């Protein structure tokens, strides 16, 4: 919660451990990016859950590069 800019700030500070993304089956066009800019490190899928009405929720662990 907070948007791409806030999530990017947490990622850049090394304070982002997990990311949960919910996909809703609604056509909105191209949408907006999840993050304001590329985050350092990588996302590793940890779980996928099917929700109601075709929605899907994925959870990712964030691995940040060593400083």
């Amino acid at each position: 919660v907070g948007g791409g800019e806030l999530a990017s700030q947490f990622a850049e500070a090394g304070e982002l451990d997990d990311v949960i993304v919910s996909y809703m089956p609604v056509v909105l066009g191209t949408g907006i990016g999840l993050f304001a800019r590329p985050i350092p490190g990588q996302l590793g899928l940890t779980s996928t859950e099917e929700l109601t009405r075709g929605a899907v929720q994925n959870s990712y662990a964030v691995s940040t590069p060593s400083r």
Side-chain angles (χ1 to χ4, degrees), residues 21-67:
V21 181
S22 298
Y23 301 91
M24 306 301 173
V26 177
V27 178
L28 296 176
T30 58
I32 60 171
L34 183 60
F35 295 97
R37 46 200 170 274
I39 64 168
Q42 295 184 344
L43 300 178
L45 182 65
T46 57
S47 69
T48 299
E49 180 181 356
E50 184 177 346
L51 305 175
T52 60
R53 300 183 184 199
V56 175
Q57 183 170 288
N58 288 348
S59 296
Y60 301 88
V62 179
S63 60
T64 56
S66 299
R67 293 183 186 190

Side-chain angles (χ1 to χ4, degrees), residues 10-25:
F10 275 103
E12 290 166 350
E15 297 296 327
L16 191 64
D17 297 321
D18 300 297
V19 175
I20 299 172
V21 181
S22 298
Y23 301 91
M24 306 301 173

